[in-house]
Amino acid sequence: MFTKIRKRDGREVPFDDTKITDAIFKAARAVGGEDRETAVSLTLDVLRMLKEKYNGQVFSVEDVQDVVEKVLIERGHARTAKAYILYRDKRTRIREAKTELMDVVEEIIKETDRDNANVGNSPSAKMLQIASAASKNYYLNRLLDEDFSLAHRRGDIHIHDLDFYATTLNCLQIPLDVLLKNGFDNGHGYIRPPKRPSSATALAAIILQSSQNDMYGGQSFPFFDRQMAPFVEGADDDEVYQAMEALVYNLNSMHSRAGSQVPFSSLNLGTDTSEAGRKVTRNLLLAYEAGLGHGENPIFPNVIFRLKKGVNFENGDPNYDLFQLAVRVASKRLNPTFSFMDSSFNRKYGDQVAYMGCRTRVMANRRGPEETARRGNLSFTTINLPRLAIKAERNMKLFYSLLDEMVELAIRQLYHRFKVQCRLRVKDIPFVMGQRLYMGSEDLKPEDSIEPAIVNGTLSVGIIGLAETLVSLTGYHHGQSEESQAVGLEIVKHIREKVNEACERFDLNYTFLATPAEGLCGRFIALDRKEFGIIPGVTDKEYYTNSFHIPVNYPISIFDKIRIEGEYHKYFDAGHISYVELASPPQHNQQAVEAIIRHMADCDMGYAGINYPVDFCCGCNLLGVINESVCPRCGSSEIRRVRRITGYLSTVDRFNDGKLAELRDRITHFQ
């Protein structure tokens, strides 16, 4: 009857009616049918309808499928028709996903994407990005429940690091002291304990790299001064300095994760008052201050100076001189950032709280000891808060209804990911689990599930764009209006309560995160602008404002910004950060920097930093603010511009479009 059919790519191939029968029978079997003869009879009906409709003309695969659906429905086979439609839709999505994947790969081959500002453009980085794109494609189309996949695709939520959904965990506060004391095996033989500072810091770098290769997020030493102190006792400052200098060099040059980037490393220090601990802090800060070989600003490690009254915060405290040194270094190199042990939410833990990377905090624990070390975040998912406000059209009751629905969806999706992660075995994460770095992994064998360990980790619900949300709901953001500030605090308090309820319901460590929206800041707003158009103060930029921050282009004093943002830190138990923008490195006004840090402490912040431009001429090694496109001293156009992106440092050339737009909009905060 028919000899040709047109494929989706335009090719004409021989027509085979048994394929119609097979498809109908497959759909029937999906709903319990077992009669192939009925499928044959229905095929004849399809052929008759095709003859009537196309009268000898060549038709397409899609045309046949349309007729099959019509015949099934008209002949009373509604359940089979539904199964056929679902199967057809699934096949269509798989085809489209493959096409989309190929398009993404084509773009990656030209240049890697910039979701992470520390991923380079090397061949291995491209390979990682291609694998990442394929993994995301697989999880969205094959693993995730449809409601989770759809919510991520359309931008209601963002599942962070989707490419690692079923393969590993996010981050870890590493027990460096245990590993250095006992030695370890990172896969090629036993590494014995070090005896000298240089060996200890060399192994510290290897430990960070080994852990990074097992995970996709940050790696941190929660008490670097205390953990390293036993290995510098008896050494003079020069030897310790050389060891710390080597550590800084290694952490800026030792690539991991298929060569795409150096370990995303953090070192917490400042509170060990022993002479050995003080020696570690002092020399690490001095090495960081000196910079890299030509004086370049280091990107890593992210140095976090922990402040506590009675230890280092007041004149007369045993480590007050180290606080002064930290201020000096921060005034030249952007790092260290500062964490506050005396804030209302950290105080009850003494000096045991440590931060990581651009903001992560892991402390409370329903399933084990409330400790920072040997624990980390498992995964996090961010809610598109401005979209909910746009949809609510200033109806607060509707906004909270939409918010509750989306928070619940994020909580369920995180639980789904947790159960997927529980399928992993110790041997799948050989260093972190096999060397017993993670709390609860002590007695696990290679074939055991990692679930007994990861119940100690955290699952985080995050938000971005509170400022745009408030503009959409009230007409003003929280920097412009005390009333909007009250609404903002009410919103985050409400979410925190919902997250706390999830802790009770699932008996897991759900937490609330001030999301470090790097690639996400541009993704959400692009989707919203496409759906809702340009809304002044909401979708009229290329990015949403980071977490609960005041918009970067809003003129506000340093002290008002700190006061307003400080009220939010206590709600975000998974992590938070605030920073202020200065016009240039405040090397000659360290008293002002200390005053800012003290105001941050007074305003109940947990973690904060000072921002300013750091430019470096690669031609003549000039360090300073270089506003021109060429060096004013030597004329070189090779300028290395370092900025803080979401809480950590990077060079501007690696910022994505959204963050570049944000950088252009940033204005300095006045005193």
Side-chain angles (χ1 to χ4, degrees), residues 544-573:
Y544 278 142
T545 300
N546 198 337
S547 60
F548 56 82
H549 292 178
I550 290 167
V552 298
N553 62 350
Y554 181 68
I556 189 171
S557 74
I558 290 172
F559 290 92
D560 283 343
K561 184 178 193 292
I562 292 169
R563 174 183 58 81
I564 293 168
E565 291 187 5
E567 293 192 58
Y568 289 91
H569 282 227
K570 60 180 172 287
Y571 294 109
F572 292 91
D573 56 337

PDB file of all heavy atoms in Angstrom, residues 544-573:
ATOM      1  N   TYR A 544      20.398  38.357  39.101  1.00  0.00           N
ATOM      2  CA  TYR A 544      19.704  38.604  40.357  1.00  0.00           C
ATOM      3  C   TYR A 544      20.746  38.834  41.445  1.00  0.00           C
ATOM      4  O   TYR A 544      21.845  38.272  41.422  1.00  0.00           O
ATOM      5  CB  TYR A 544      18.818  37.417  40.744  1.00  0.00           C
ATOM      6  CG  TYR A 544      17.467  37.388  40.053  1.00  0.00           C
ATOM      7  CD1 TYR A 544      16.900  36.185  39.633  1.00  0.00           C
ATOM      8  CD2 TYR A 544      16.752  38.562  39.833  1.00  0.00           C
ATOM      9  CE1 TYR A 544      15.665  36.147  39.017  1.00  0.00           C
ATOM     10  CE2 TYR A 544      15.516  38.542  39.210  1.00  0.00           C
ATOM     11  CZ  TYR A 544      14.970  37.330  38.801  1.00  0.00           C
ATOM     12  OH  TYR A 544      13.750  37.300  38.184  1.00  0.00           O
ATOM     13  N   THR A 545      20.386  39.643  42.431  1.00  0.00           N
ATOM     14  CA  THR A 545      21.300  39.973  43.515  1.00  0.00           C
ATOM     15  C   THR A 545      21.577  38.746  44.372  1.00  0.00           C
ATOM     16  O   THR A 545      20.689  37.942  44.664  1.00  0.00           O
ATOM     17  CB  THR A 545      20.697  41.095  44.383  1.00  0.00           C
ATOM     18  OG1 THR A 545      20.490  42.240  43.552  1.00  0.00           O
ATOM     19  CG2 THR A 545      21.627  41.459  45.518  1.00  0.00           C
ATOM     20  N   ASN A 546      22.824  38.614  44.782  1.00  0.00           N
ATOM     21  CA  ASN A 546      23.283  37.481  45.581  1.00  0.00           C
ATOM     22  C   ASN A 546      22.495  37.373  46.894  1.00  0.00           C
ATOM     23  O   ASN A 546      22.438  38.317  47.677  1.00  0.00           O
ATOM     24  CB  ASN A 546      24.775  37.685  45.890  1.00  0.00           C
ATOM     25  CG  ASN A 546      25.464  36.420  46.321  1.00  0.00           C
ATOM     26  OD1 ASN A 546      24.831  35.485  46.797  1.00  0.00           O
ATOM     27  ND2 ASN A 546      26.775  36.401  46.165  1.00  0.00           N
ATOM     28  N   SER A 547      21.878  36.242  47.111  1.00  0.00           N
ATOM     29  CA  SER A 547      21.190  35.864  48.361  1.00  0.00           C
ATOM     30  C   SER A 547      20.389  37.023  48.952  1.00  0.00           C
ATOM     31  O   SER A 547      19.466  37.536  48.317  1.00  0.00           O
ATOM     32  CB  SER A 547      22.198  35.311  49.377  1.00  0.00           C
ATOM     33  OG  SER A 547      23.202  36.239  49.713  1.00  0.00           O
ATOM     34  N   PHE A 548      20.726  37.453  50.173  1.00  0.00           N
ATOM     35  CA  PHE A 548      19.977  38.504  50.871  1.00  0.00           C
ATOM     36  C   PHE A 548      20.655  39.863  50.748  1.00  0.00           C
ATOM     37  O   PHE A 548      20.283  40.815  51.451  1.00  0.00           O
ATOM     38  CB  PHE A 548      19.825  38.151  52.360  1.00  0.00           C
ATOM     39  CG  PHE A 548      21.149  37.918  53.045  1.00  0.00           C
ATOM     40  CD1 PHE A 548      21.918  38.972  53.496  1.00  0.00           C
ATOM     41  CD2 PHE A 548      21.629  36.635  53.229  1.00  0.00           C
ATOM     42  CE1 PHE A 548      23.142  38.768  54.124  1.00  0.00           C
ATOM     43  CE2 PHE A 548      22.845  36.404  53.858  1.00  0.00           C
ATOM     44  CZ  PHE A 548      23.607  37.482  54.297  1.00  0.00           C
ATOM     45  N   HIS A 549      21.626  40.002  49.870  1.00  0.00           N
ATOM     46  CA  HIS A 549      22.404  41.236  49.798  1.00  0.00           C
ATOM     47  C   HIS A 549      21.590  42.410  49.258  1.00  0.00           C
ATOM     48  O   HIS A 549      20.638  42.233  48.499  1.00  0.00           O
ATOM     49  CB  HIS A 549      23.628  41.047  48.908  1.00  0.00           C
ATOM     50  CG  HIS A 549      24.638  40.129  49.497  1.00  0.00           C
ATOM     51  ND1 HIS A 549      25.805  39.787  48.843  1.00  0.00           N
ATOM     52  CD2 HIS A 549      24.679  39.461  50.679  1.00  0.00           C
ATOM     53  CE1 HIS A 549      26.510  38.968  49.598  1.00  0.00           C
ATOM     54  NE2 HIS A 549      25.836  38.754  50.715  1.00  0.00           N
ATOM     55  N   ILE A 550      21.995  43.596  49.637  1.00  0.00           N
ATOM     56  CA  ILE A 550      21.481  44.825  49.051  1.00  0.00           C
ATOM     57  C   ILE A 550      22.077  44.954  47.646  1.00  0.00           C
ATOM     58  O   ILE A 550      23.251  44.614  47.443  1.00  0.00           O
ATOM     59  CB  ILE A 550      21.843  46.030  49.940  1.00  0.00           C
ATOM     60  CG1 ILE A 550      21.034  45.953  51.238  1.00  0.00           C
ATOM     61  CG2 ILE A 550      21.605  47.357  49.230  1.00  0.00           C
ATOM     62  CD1 ILE A 550      21.503  46.888  52.313  1.00  0.00           C
ATOM     63  N   PRO A 551      21.325  45.404  46.650  1.00  0.00           N
ATOM     64  CA  PRO A 551      21.853  45.497  45.291  1.00  0.00           C
ATOM     65  C   PRO A 551      23.183  46.238  45.217  1.00  0.00           C
ATOM     66  O   PRO A 551      23.387  47.244  45.909  1.00  0.00           O
ATOM     67  CB  PRO A 551      20.750  46.260  44.542  1.00  0.00           C
ATOM     68  CG  PRO A 551      19.495  45.887  45.263  1.00  0.00           C
ATOM     69  CD  PRO A 551      19.896  45.808  46.710  1.00  0.00           C
ATOM     70  N   VAL A 552      24.070  45.728  44.373  1.00  0.00           N
ATOM     71  CA  VAL A 552      25.437  46.259  44.325  1.00  0.00           C
ATOM     72  C   VAL A 552      25.512  47.679  43.785  1.00  0.00           C
ATOM     73  O   VAL A 552      26.503  48.378  43.997  1.00  0.00           O
ATOM     74  CB  VAL A 552      26.349  45.340  43.477  1.00  0.00           C
ATOM     75  CG1 VAL A 552      26.442  43.963  44.096  1.00  0.00           C
ATOM     76  CG2 VAL A 552      25.855  45.269  42.028  1.00  0.00           C
ATOM     77  N   ASN A 553      24.476  48.119  43.072  1.00  0.00           N
ATOM     78  CA  ASN A 553      24.504  49.465  42.492  1.00  0.00           C
ATOM     79  C   ASN A 553      23.746  50.482  43.333  1.00  0.00           C
ATOM     80  O   ASN A 553      23.552  51.624  42.904  1.00  0.00           O
ATOM     81  CB  ASN A 553      23.924  49.450  41.074  1.00  0.00           C
ATOM     82  CG  ASN A 553      22.464  49.008  41.042  1.00  0.00           C
ATOM     83  OD1 ASN A 553      21.932  48.529  42.049  1.00  0.00           O
ATOM     84  ND2 ASN A 553      21.827  49.152  39.902  1.00  0.00           N
ATOM     85  N   TYR A 554      23.335  50.090  44.530  1.00  0.00           N
ATOM     86  CA  TYR A 554      22.570  51.005  45.381  1.00  0.00           C
ATOM     87  C   TYR A 554      23.513  51.776  46.294  1.00  0.00           C
ATOM     88  O   TYR A 554      24.309  51.173  47.025  1.00  0.00           O
ATOM     89  CB  TYR A 554      21.557  50.222  46.223  1.00  0.00           C
ATOM     90  CG  TYR A 554      20.716  51.106  47.118  1.00  0.00           C
ATOM     91  CD1 TYR A 554      19.790  51.984  46.572  1.00  0.00           C
ATOM     92  CD2 TYR A 554      20.863  51.076  48.503  1.00  0.00           C
ATOM     93  CE1 TYR A 554      19.024  52.808  47.385  1.00  0.00           C
ATOM     94  CE2 TYR A 554      20.104  51.892  49.322  1.00  0.00           C
ATOM     95  CZ  TYR A 554      19.190  52.756  48.751  1.00  0.00           C
ATOM     96  OH  TYR A 554      18.441  53.580  49.564  1.00  0.00           O
ATOM     97  N   PRO A 555      23.460  53.102  46.264  1.00  0.00           N
ATOM     98  CA  PRO A 555      24.342  53.900  47.130  1.00  0.00           C
ATOM     99  C   PRO A 555      23.934  53.796  48.598  1.00  0.00           C
ATOM    100  O   PRO A 555      22.809  54.148  48.959  1.00  0.00           O
ATOM    101  CB  PRO A 555      24.174  55.323  46.590  1.00  0.00           C
ATOM    102  CG  PRO A 555      22.833  55.340  45.929  1.00  0.00           C
ATOM    103  CD  PRO A 555      22.615  53.951  45.387  1.00  0.00           C
ATOM    104  N   ILE A 556      24.843  53.297  49.413  1.00  0.00           N
ATOM    105  CA  ILE A 556      24.550  53.113  50.833  1.00  0.00           C
ATOM    106  C   ILE A 556      25.868  53.161  51.591  1.00  0.00           C
ATOM    107  O   ILE A 556      26.924  52.810  51.053  1.00  0.00           O
ATOM    108  CB  ILE A 556      23.822  51.763  51.068  1.00  0.00           C
ATOM    109  CG1 ILE A 556      23.306  51.653  52.500  1.00  0.00           C
ATOM    110  CG2 ILE A 556      24.710  50.577  50.706  1.00  0.00           C
ATOM    111  CD1 ILE A 556      22.391  50.457  52.732  1.00  0.00           C
ATOM    112  N   SER A 557      25.808  53.569  52.826  1.00  0.00           N
ATOM    113  CA  SER A 557      27.029  53.637  53.622  1.00  0.00           C
ATOM    114  C   SER A 557      27.468  52.242  54.048  1.00  0.00           C
ATOM    115  O   SER A 557      26.667  51.303  54.123  1.00  0.00           O
ATOM    116  CB  SER A 557      26.808  54.500  54.866  1.00  0.00           C
ATOM    117  OG  SER A 557      26.034  53.809  55.827  1.00  0.00           O
ATOM    118  N   ILE A 558      28.740  52.124  54.323  1.00  0.00           N
ATOM    119  CA  ILE A 558      29.298  50.860  54.806  1.00  0.00           C
ATOM    120  C   ILE A 558      28.549  50.380  56.034  1.00  0.00           C
ATOM    121  O   ILE A 558      28.139  49.212  56.129  1.00  0.00           O
ATOM    122  CB  ILE A 558      30.798  51.031  55.126  1.00  0.00           C
ATOM    123  CG1 ILE A 558      31.605  51.205  53.839  1.00  0.00           C
ATOM    124  CG2 ILE A 558      31.332  49.855  55.941  1.00  0.00           C
ATOM    125  CD1 ILE A 558      33.051  51.580  54.072  1.00  0.00           C
ATOM    126  N   PHE A 559      28.339  51.279  56.957  1.00  0.00           N
ATOM    127  CA  PHE A 559      27.783  50.870  58.242  1.00  0.00           C
ATOM    128  C   PHE A 559      26.295  50.542  58.137  1.00  0.00           C
ATOM    129  O   PHE A 559      25.802  49.644  58.828  1.00  0.00           O
ATOM    130  CB  PHE A 559      28.074  51.940  59.294  1.00  0.00           C
ATOM    131  CG  PHE A 559      29.534  51.999  59.645  1.00  0.00           C
ATOM    132  CD1 PHE A 559      30.390  52.857  58.989  1.00  0.00           C
ATOM    133  CD2 PHE A 559      30.070  51.148  60.594  1.00  0.00           C
ATOM    134  CE1 PHE A 559      31.743  52.884  59.288  1.00  0.00           C
ATOM    135  CE2 PHE A 559      31.416  51.160  60.902  1.00  0.00           C
ATOM    136  CZ  PHE A 559      32.266  52.033  60.242  1.00  0.00           C
ATOM    137  N   ASP A 560      25.553  51.229  57.259  1.00  0.00           N
ATOM    138  CA  ASP A 560      24.147  50.874  57.051  1.00  0.00           C
ATOM    139  C   ASP A 560      24.012  49.527  56.356  1.00  0.00           C
ATOM    140  O   ASP A 560      23.138  48.725  56.695  1.00  0.00           O
ATOM    141  CB  ASP A 560      23.442  51.957  56.240  1.00  0.00           C
ATOM    142  CG  ASP A 560      23.096  53.184  57.067  1.00  0.00           C
ATOM    143  OD1 ASP A 560      23.108  53.077  58.314  1.00  0.00           O
ATOM    144  OD2 ASP A 560      22.820  54.247  56.479  1.00  0.00           O
ATOM    145  N   LYS A 561      24.867  49.262  55.367  1.00  0.00           N
ATOM    146  CA  LYS A 561      24.809  47.977  54.675  1.00  0.00           C
ATOM    147  C   LYS A 561      25.060  46.836  55.653  1.00  0.00           C
ATOM    148  O   LYS A 561      24.341  45.822  55.656  1.00  0.00           O
ATOM    149  CB  LYS A 561      25.838  47.932  53.542  1.00  0.00           C
ATOM    150  CG  LYS A 561      25.785  46.645  52.709  1.00  0.00           C
ATOM    151  CD  LYS A 561      26.791  46.684  51.576  1.00  0.00           C
ATOM    152  CE  LYS A 561      26.539  45.558  50.560  1.00  0.00           C
ATOM    153  NZ  LYS A 561      26.800  44.221  51.087  1.00  0.00           N
ATOM    154  N   ILE A 562      26.063  47.001  56.475  1.00  0.00           N
ATOM    155  CA  ILE A 562      26.383  45.960  57.459  1.00  0.00           C
ATOM    156  C   ILE A 562      25.229  45.786  58.442  1.00  0.00           C
ATOM    157  O   ILE A 562      24.838  44.656  58.781  1.00  0.00           O
ATOM    158  CB  ILE A 562      27.684  46.313  58.194  1.00  0.00           C
ATOM    159  CG1 ILE A 562      28.875  46.218  57.229  1.00  0.00           C
ATOM    160  CG2 ILE A 562      27.905  45.397  59.402  1.00  0.00           C
ATOM    161  CD1 ILE A 562      30.162  46.793  57.779  1.00  0.00           C
ATOM    162  N   ARG A 563      24.669  46.896  58.898  1.00  0.00           N
ATOM    163  CA  ARG A 563      23.556  46.828  59.865  1.00  0.00           C
ATOM    164  C   ARG A 563      22.364  46.077  59.276  1.00  0.00           C
ATOM    165  O   ARG A 563      21.774  45.206  59.925  1.00  0.00           O
ATOM    166  CB  ARG A 563      23.146  48.238  60.272  1.00  0.00           C
ATOM    167  CG  ARG A 563      21.896  48.295  61.154  1.00  0.00           C
ATOM    168  CD  ARG A 563      21.501  49.730  61.475  1.00  0.00           C
ATOM    169  NE  ARG A 563      21.243  50.512  60.276  1.00  0.00           N
ATOM    170  CZ  ARG A 563      20.095  50.480  59.587  1.00  0.00           C
ATOM    171  NH1 ARG A 563      19.104  49.672  59.977  1.00  0.00           N
ATOM    172  NH2 ARG A 563      19.937  51.236  58.522  1.00  0.00           N
ATOM    173  N   ILE A 564      22.008  46.395  58.043  1.00  0.00           N
ATOM    174  CA  ILE A 564      20.837  45.780  57.417  1.00  0.00           C
ATOM    175  C   ILE A 564      21.077  44.303  57.122  1.00  0.00           C
ATOM    176  O   ILE A 564      20.250  43.441  57.443  1.00  0.00           O
ATOM    177  CB  ILE A 564      20.456  46.550  56.138  1.00  0.00           C
ATOM    178  CG1 ILE A 564      19.962  47.956  56.496  1.00  0.00           C
ATOM    179  CG2 ILE A 564      19.393  45.798  55.350  1.00  0.00           C
ATOM    180  CD1 ILE A 564      19.834  48.892  55.303  1.00  0.00           C
ATOM    181  N   GLU A 565      22.208  43.986  56.508  1.00  0.00           N
ATOM    182  CA  GLU A 565      22.470  42.591  56.143  1.00  0.00           C
ATOM    183  C   GLU A 565      22.774  41.725  57.360  1.00  0.00           C
ATOM    184  O   GLU A 565      22.509  40.520  57.353  1.00  0.00           O
ATOM    185  CB  GLU A 565      23.619  42.519  55.138  1.00  0.00           C
ATOM    186  CG  GLU A 565      23.264  43.089  53.773  1.00  0.00           C
ATOM    187  CD  GLU A 565      24.348  42.871  52.734  1.00  0.00           C
ATOM    188  OE1 GLU A 565      25.357  42.182  53.042  1.00  0.00           O
ATOM    189  OE2 GLU A 565      24.198  43.378  51.607  1.00  0.00           O
ATOM    190  N   GLY A 566      23.303  42.340  58.410  1.00  0.00           N
ATOM    191  CA  GLY A 566      23.640  41.577  59.601  1.00  0.00           C
ATOM    192  C   GLY A 566      22.451  40.879  60.227  1.00  0.00           C
ATOM    193  O   GLY A 566      22.604  39.823  60.862  1.00  0.00           O
ATOM    194  N   GLU A 567      21.269  41.425  60.038  1.00  0.00           N
ATOM    195  CA  GLU A 567      20.078  40.820  60.633  1.00  0.00           C
ATOM    196  C   GLU A 567      19.705  39.490  59.984  1.00  0.00           C
ATOM    197  O   GLU A 567      18.914  38.721  60.538  1.00  0.00           O
ATOM    198  CB  GLU A 567      18.896  41.789  60.541  1.00  0.00           C
ATOM    199  CG  GLU A 567      19.066  43.042  61.397  1.00  0.00           C
ATOM    200  CD  GLU A 567      17.772  43.827  61.504  1.00  0.00           C
ATOM    201  OE1 GLU A 567      16.768  43.237  61.974  1.00  0.00           O
ATOM    202  OE2 GLU A 567      17.754  45.004  61.107  1.00  0.00           O
ATOM    203  N   TYR A 568      20.247  39.198  58.812  1.00  0.00           N
ATOM    204  CA  TYR A 568      19.882  37.979  58.093  1.00  0.00           C
ATOM    205  C   TYR A 568      20.753  36.782  58.432  1.00  0.00           C
ATOM    206  O   TYR A 568      20.337  35.638  58.253  1.00  0.00           O
ATOM    207  CB  TYR A 568      19.942  38.239  56.575  1.00  0.00           C
ATOM    208  CG  TYR A 568      18.835  39.140  56.087  1.00  0.00           C
ATOM    209  CD1 TYR A 568      19.020  40.522  56.024  1.00  0.00           C
ATOM    210  CD2 TYR A 568      17.598  38.633  55.708  1.00  0.00           C
ATOM    211  CE1 TYR A 568      18.012  41.364  55.591  1.00  0.00           C
ATOM    212  CE2 TYR A 568      16.574  39.461  55.270  1.00  0.00           C
ATOM    213  CZ  TYR A 568      16.785  40.832  55.215  1.00  0.00           C
ATOM    214  OH  TYR A 568      15.779  41.664  54.800  1.00  0.00           O
ATOM    215  N   HIS A 569      21.982  37.022  58.897  1.00  0.00           N
ATOM    216  CA  HIS A 569      22.936  35.917  59.048  1.00  0.00           C
ATOM    217  C   HIS A 569      22.406  34.800  59.944  1.00  0.00           C
ATOM    218  O   HIS A 569      22.634  33.622  59.667  1.00  0.00           O
ATOM    219  CB  HIS A 569      24.263  36.450  59.592  1.00  0.00           C
ATOM    220  CG  HIS A 569      25.113  37.131  58.562  1.00  0.00           C
ATOM    221  ND1 HIS A 569      26.455  36.877  58.400  1.00  0.00           N
ATOM    222  CD2 HIS A 569      24.811  38.059  57.625  1.00  0.00           C
ATOM    223  CE1 HIS A 569      26.941  37.620  57.419  1.00  0.00           C
ATOM    224  NE2 HIS A 569      25.951  38.357  56.935  1.00  0.00           N
ATOM    225  N   LYS A 570      21.720  35.139  60.998  1.00  0.00           N
ATOM    226  CA  LYS A 570      21.298  34.121  61.964  1.00  0.00           C
ATOM    227  C   LYS A 570      20.291  33.128  61.391  1.00  0.00           C
ATOM    228  O   LYS A 570      20.143  32.013  61.908  1.00  0.00           O
ATOM    229  CB  LYS A 570      20.701  34.786  63.204  1.00  0.00           C
ATOM    230  CG  LYS A 570      19.483  35.649  62.974  1.00  0.00           C
ATOM    231  CD  LYS A 570      18.987  36.242  64.295  1.00  0.00           C
ATOM    232  CE  LYS A 570      17.886  37.278  64.105  1.00  0.00           C
ATOM    233  NZ  LYS A 570      18.458  38.540  63.536  1.00  0.00           N
ATOM    234  N   TYR A 571      19.600  33.513  60.319  1.00  0.00           N
ATOM    235  CA  TYR A 571      18.607  32.609  59.743  1.00  0.00           C
ATOM    236  C   TYR A 571      19.228  31.573  58.800  1.00  0.00           C
ATOM    237  O   TYR A 571      18.667  30.508  58.593  1.00  0.00           O
ATOM    238  CB  TYR A 571      17.542  33.407  58.984  1.00  0.00           C
ATOM    239  CG  TYR A 571      16.711  34.280  59.892  1.00  0.00           C
ATOM    240  CD1 TYR A 571      16.840  35.671  59.877  1.00  0.00           C
ATOM    241  CD2 TYR A 571      15.790  33.719  60.786  1.00  0.00           C
ATOM    242  CE1 TYR A 571      16.090  36.474  60.709  1.00  0.00           C
ATOM    243  CE2 TYR A 571      15.035  34.509  61.626  1.00  0.00           C
ATOM    244  CZ  TYR A 571      15.187  35.890  61.585  1.00  0.00           C
ATOM    245  OH  TYR A 571      14.444  36.672  62.422  1.00  0.00           O
ATOM    246  N   PHE A 572      20.388  31.888  58.233  1.00  0.00           N
ATOM    247  CA  PHE A 572      21.000  31.026  57.231  1.00  0.00           C
ATOM    248  C   PHE A 572      22.059  30.136  57.888  1.00  0.00           C
ATOM    249  O   PHE A 572      23.254  30.396  57.810  1.00  0.00           O
ATOM    250  CB  PHE A 572      21.603  31.876  56.120  1.00  0.00           C
ATOM    251  CG  PHE A 572      20.573  32.598  55.291  1.00  0.00           C
ATOM    252  CD1 PHE A 572      20.157  33.876  55.626  1.00  0.00           C
ATOM    253  CD2 PHE A 572      20.012  31.983  54.189  1.00  0.00           C
ATOM    254  CE1 PHE A 572      19.209  34.540  54.871  1.00  0.00           C
ATOM    255  CE2 PHE A 572      19.057  32.635  53.425  1.00  0.00           C
ATOM    256  CZ  PHE A 572      18.648  33.923  53.764  1.00  0.00           C
ATOM    257  N   ASP A 573      21.593  29.060  58.513  1.00  0.00           N
ATOM    258  CA  ASP A 573      22.507  28.209  59.263  1.00  0.00           C
ATOM    259  C   ASP A 573      23.408  27.365  58.363  1.00  0.00           C
ATOM    260  O   ASP A 573      24.416  26.818  58.824  1.00  0.00           O
ATOM    261  CB  ASP A 573      21.736  27.301  60.229  1.00  0.00           C
ATOM    262  CG  ASP A 573      20.685  26.435  59.538  1.00  0.00           C
ATOM    263  OD1 ASP A 573      20.222  26.796  58.439  1.00  0.00           O
ATOM    264  OD2 ASP A 573      20.306  25.393  60.110  1.00  0.00           O
TER     265      ASP A 573
END
